Amino acid sequence: MNVPITRRDFSKTSAGVGLTLVGTAGVLSTASAYAYADENTDSVAGGDLEQDDRSSRPLDSKTGYGPLIDDPKGLLALPAGFSYEVVNHAGVTKLDSGEFTPNSHDGTATFPGTRGSTLLVVNHELGGDRAEVDFPVPLTPGLAYDPAAPGGCTVVEISKHGDHVTEWVALTGTQENCAGGRTPWGTWLTCEEDTTRAGEDGMTKDHGYVFEVDPYDRRANQHPKPIKALGRYDHEAVVVDTKRGHLYLTEDADEPNGLLYRWTPPKGFRHGRGKLRGLSDTAGVLEAFKCFDSRGRFVDDLSRATKAGTVYGVDWVNVPDRDARTVQVREQFTDTQVTRARKLEGMWWADGGAYIVSSYAREESPKQHDGQVWFYDPAHRKLTLKLILGINQDPSKDGAFDGPDNITVSPYGGVILAEDGDGVQHLFGATDSGRTYPIARNELKGGTPEEPEYSEFAGVVFSPDGKTLYASIQNPGILLAITGPWRHHR
């Protein structure tokens, strides 16, 4: 049962809202593009977050790994002492079936395999007409949900010493598998960021669901079934509350902006392998979040927060029709019933809560920014702004970061983010003490010499032993393994 936090109780616990920290990590206020502004939830007018003098102060020598060095192969710039290996490449490497590795790599998780190997489950964000897609996920018998859809997941097994790689299909026939989430019981929840109905655009089944993928047991993935209890909408990512059993899910959408959801399992339900797919379509309770500030004022959009350390209280509002039979879920609420946010993207569970990314906000939002990272503390029902990126005035130049998407919490402290912004694309870290630093730069150019284009990074995640950072260049679909002298940052 959801018992609302009273505005008075939250105000008592949130005095000094700009300084309150939640969780074990400190405020991740970026030093490369940060707007130092007061909390403001009164104004309806928009406005850019501009960098001030403090945002350009140089990093100290202990932060990060130094400047990125151009790659003579024209693929990935890294700091001195670091190196990379190409694990797979869409249309070049092949699955164990003999078919090509699919394109458009996205959300990824790692799992310990046998004899020191590492298993990765990789999403492939492919949608639309299957016939028009280069290197779709093959329609492996028994693993297809909708044979008209090109997306899905593959499993990549890398031997202990990295000298042997095997790949196979774990799920196919889904749409726009964007991010997802690793479960505590050793499976992957893959999310469809597409709500096409059966009969639309050639699809034979409804889309917009979450599916469970087992990297260890191929038989468990036979006859895929959507987890309809988690709702049908433009899913992005999902995390599992390891203590309470809740699932938290982000929605990447606009017109209107998307929502953060919480799913509460039915009484007596016990999580485990394959248990979610056995639920009824209406099992549990699906809710959307509603925030208010320390003065008890309703917050209509997360872009209202312009200062790292801002804390909001959170209530949860029941979703009327989770399968969106006639109206999209986010459109079932008025703008005074729920809190919205543009481009709610990656999530990661750590420190007793959920790290949540809002990639950017533009004219569709009350305020504009180039990225936020929030931390939700379920024990106290508080949402804290950990990181905010001001508007990148010239994305074509290397330096500032914008458009964070996938996120992972680093075993060396802080978080690591994959850029899906404009212009130059990076993997970058943010320390607990409030500094950002580059880890990698995509040097694979598309477009024209006059107007080069760079694909986004995706699927950033460490190996189980913390020695290797995996990430993908989404197009043309290249999975990379990065190693080097990792060290702790604060």
Side-chain angles (χ1 to χ4, degrees):
M1 180 178 180
N2 179 35
V3 180
I5 301 174
T6 68
R7 300 333 188 231
R8 179 176 297 176
D9 289 344
F10 178 66
S11 297
K12 288 179 179 178
T13 61
S14 303
V17 64
L19 299 177
T20 304
L21 302 181
V22 177
T24 62
V27 176
L28 298 166
S29 52
T30 173
S32 64
Y34 176 62
Y36 294 79
D38 292 332
E39 177 187 6
N40 180 1
T41 56
D42 286 328
S43 175
V44 179
D48 295 346
L49 299 179
E50 300 290 349
Q51 299 179 34
D52 71 3
D53 291 340
R54 283 168 287 187
S55 70
S56 60
R57 66 186 186 275
L59 299 179
D60 62 65
S61 59
K62 297 180 181 180
T63 302
Y65 300 99
L68 302 180
I69 300 171
D70 290 344
D71 181 6
K73 297 180 180 179
L75 182 59
L76 193 71
L78 294 168
F82 282 78
S83 62
Y84 70 87
E85 295 287 342
V86 173
V87 177
N88 66 24
H89 187 166
V92 177
T93 54
K94 291 186 176 182
L95 307 173
D96 63 2
S97 61
E99 297 155 298
F100 283 117
T101 299
N103 200 354
S104 298
H105 301 27
D106 211 300
T108 301
T110 59
F111 304 83
T114 59
R115 297 183 294 277
S117 66
T118 298
L119 298 172
L120 296 91
V121 182
V122 181
N123 276 0
H124 297 277
E125 192 181 16
L126 297 165
D129 185 349
R130 184 179 182 86
E132 300 296 323
V133 173
D134 292 332
F135 312 115
V137 181
L139 292 173
T140 303
L143 298 177
Y145 168 66
D146 180 350
C153 298
T154 54
V155 176
V156 181
E157 183 175 23
I158 305 172
S159 64
K160 181 178 180 179
H161 301 293
D163 54 351
H164 184 72
V165 176
T166 306
E167 307 175 56
W168 62 89
V169 173
L171 172 69
T172 184
T174 50
Q175 283 276 88
E176 301 287 355
N177 297 72
C178 200
R182 191 188 192 282
T183 69
W185 51 92
T187 63
W188 169 250
L189 297 176
T190 181
C191 298
E192 288 189 302
E193 191 190 335
D194 182 278
T195 54
T196 304
R197 285 283 201 186
E200 298 174 353
D201 300 330
M203 296 298 112
T204 66
K205 292 186 178 181
D206 292 345
H207 293 270
Y209 296 116
V210 177
F211 295 78
E212 187 169 17
V213 172
D214 193 325
Y216 296 104
D217 185 355
R218 299 196 194 195
R219 293 172 298 178
N221 299 322
Q222 290 284 319
H223 313 298
K225 179 185 176 184
I227 307 169
K228 293 188 176 182
L230 302 182
R232 194 182 73 83
Y233 46 90
D234 290 316
H235 285 274
E236 178 69 30
V238 56
V239 294
V240 181
D241 183 332
T242 56
K243 183 177 181 179
R244 300 161 190 83
H246 294 119
L247 270 64
Y248 295 92
L249 308 103
T250 49
E251 179 181 32
D252 181 2
D254 62 352
E255 297 182 352
N257 284 347
L259 306 174
L260 174 69
Y261 298 92
R262 181 182 73 175
W263 179 77
T264 302
K267 186 176 181 180
F269 177 79
R270 294 180 65 85
H271 282 294
R273 267 189 166 78
K275 295 293 184 66
L276 289 170
R277 66 183 289 174
L279 290 168
S280 72
D281 295 351
T282 58
V285 178
L286 185 66
E287 301 163 295
F289 79 149
K290 180 178 184 178
C291 298
F292 51 91
D293 68 14
S294 59
R295 300 181 190 177
R297 298 174 298 183
F298 167 66
V299 180
D300 62 338
D301 195 284
L302 291 186
S303 67
R304 296 284 186 190
T306 59
K307 184 176 182 180
T310 297
V311 179
Y312 293 145
V314 177
D315 277 343
W316 296 95
V317 184
N318 190 63
V319 171
D321 173 20
R322 73 181 81 184
D323 204 50
R325 289 183 292 270
T326 58
V327 179
Q328 292 279 1
V329 172
R330 69 184 182 280
E331 296 177 10
Q332 296 172 25
F333 300 96
T334 67
D335 288 340
T336 60
Q337 291 179 300
V338 291
T339 299
R340 303 186 184 276
R342 182 73 174 99
K343 294 290 291 179
L344 285 171
E345 296 276 4
M347 305 176 75
W348 196 268
W349 185 268
D351 303 326
Y355 288 86
I356 304 163
V357 175
S358 174
S359 192
Y360 63 78
R362 293 292 184 266
E363 289 78 6
E364 79 290 325
S365 303
K367 300 285 186 179
Q368 296 189 35
H369 61 75
D370 256 337
Q372 295 176 329
V373 176
W374 295 83
F375 180 81
Y376 178 62
D377 171 14
H380 300 94
R381 301 245 292 276
K382 291 182 181 179
L383 188 70
T384 302
L385 182 59
K386 295 288 188 178
L387 168 71
I388 184 164
L389 302 176
I391 296 295
N392 187 351
Q393 300 298 329
D394 190 354
S396 66
K397 293 183 179 179
D398 195 18
F401 307 123
D402 64 271
D405 191 328
N406 290 173
I407 183 174
T408 189
V409 171
S410 172
Y412 303 97
V415 299
I416 295 178
L417 296 140
E419 263 191 303
D420 179 16
D422 296 324
V424 181
Q425 304 293 301
H426 302 88
L427 297 173
F428 68 97
T431 69
D432 292 348
S433 59
R435 301 275 185 170
T436 57
Y437 58 91
I439 295 173
R441 181 178 65 244
N442 177 11
E443 297 198 322
L444 191 62
K445 293 182 181 179
T448 66
E450 295 75 22
E451 296 183 0
E453 297 177 356
Y454 301 89
S455 175
E456 68 180 88
F457 277 107
V460 59
V461 61
F462 273 95
S463 59
D465 63 9
K467 295 180 180 179
T468 303
L469 180 67
Y470 294 100
S472 293
I473 297 174
Q474 186 172 78
N475 287 300
I478 301 174
L479 174 60
L480 301 158
I482 302 169
T483 54
W486 305 108
R487 58 183 172 79
H488 285 272
H489 290 85
R490 293 184 178 181

